[in-house]
Amino acid sequence: MKKLRAVLGVILVLVIGGALIARTLVFPLKYKAEIQKYAKEYNVEPELIAAVIHVRSAFAPKEYEIGKECGPMSLQDKSAQFIAKEMGLKEFKAENLADPDLNIKMGTWFMAKSYRDKNIESLVEKLGGMNWQDAAGNKKQEEKKFWEDYYKQYFTKK
């Protein structure tokens, strides 16, 4: 009986461990340090930043091309020029948008300015192209909540 319990315990540990590894491979969290740093600096929930990055770029790097979305936050050069001016970044060059640190800093700054009232619906509208709506225009609250809750686990102090 003890052997059976030991075998079942090992199987349970392997299944849980395998599920955690699979989850990490399917839904990776890159840029955790940058997300935490700018979440604190601009007072935006880190899980919201991670959810935006997930929806905008799926954490995949996007190299700079003129007029195209770039970096983890998928910023375009024209909007980034405006953000840089508002932030007071004097040495800003659009080709630097591919740098995840700068990209997340600028995107989070914009989110902070757009999210002052903590109204996620207005933030989503201002982010443009990132809407949680289906073809009929119905808000997909479950999907939005899923990603926010999913990324909360990465930022919960243990």
Side-chain angles (χ1 to χ4, degrees):
M1 192 61 145
K2 286 183 179 183
K3 286 183 181 181
L4 180 60
R5 285 184 187 175
V7 169
L8 289 176
V10 169
I11 291 172
L12 182 63
V13 168
L14 290 174
V15 168
I16 291 172
L20 292 174
I21 290 170
R23 182 201 66 195
T24 302
L25 292 173
V26 174
F27 300 113
L29 178 67
K30 297 178 185 174
Y31 319 120
K32 185 175 180 178
E34 292 89 346
I35 291 169
Q36 288 179 316
K37 178 169 114 180
Y38 296 119
K40 185 175 182 178
E41 184 174 334
Y42 296 115
N43 195 29
V44 176
E45 294 88 347
E47 55 273 3
L48 181 58
I49 298 167
V52 168
I53 293 171
H54 177 83
V55 170
R56 300 290 293 194
S57 70
F59 293 92
K62 289 184 175 182
E63 294 303 316
Y64 175 74
E65 290 183 51
I66 296 172
K68 304 264 180 164
E69 293 181 342
C70 174
M73 300 287 278
S74 294
L75 299 175
Q76 287 186 333
D77 45 12
K78 288 183 181 181
S79 57
Q81 292 284 356
F82 171 78
I83 292 170
K85 183 179 176 186
E86 292 295 311
M87 290 178 73
L89 301 176
K90 298 184 189 297
E91 303 295 321
F92 175 76
K93 294 180 182 159
E95 49 271 9
N96 294 337
L97 277 174
D99 173 36
D101 188 76
L102 177 64
N103 192 283
I104 292 169
K105 177 179 184 170
M106 293 177 74
T108 304
W109 178 89
F110 180 78
M111 288 175 66
K113 297 297 178 189
S114 304
Y115 190 53
R116 285 185 182 153
D117 59 358
K118 302 295 183 195
N119 181 338
I120 196 161
E121 298 302 326
S122 68
L123 172 64
V124 167
E125 286 175 24
K126 289 177 182 164
L127 290 173
M130 187 190 107
N131 59 20
W132 283 290
Q133 294 184 349
D134 61 20
N138 299 317
K139 303 250 185 278
K140 291 186 177 180
Q141 297 294 335
E142 314 82 44
E143 181 179 348
K144 177 178 67 175
K145 182 161 177 21
F146 170 80
W147 289 116
E148 288 173 353
D149 290 346
Y150 177 78
Y151 287 113
K152 274 184 187 177
Q153 69 186 326
Y154 284 105
F155 299 102
T156 303
K157 293 182 180 178
K158 294 178 182 176

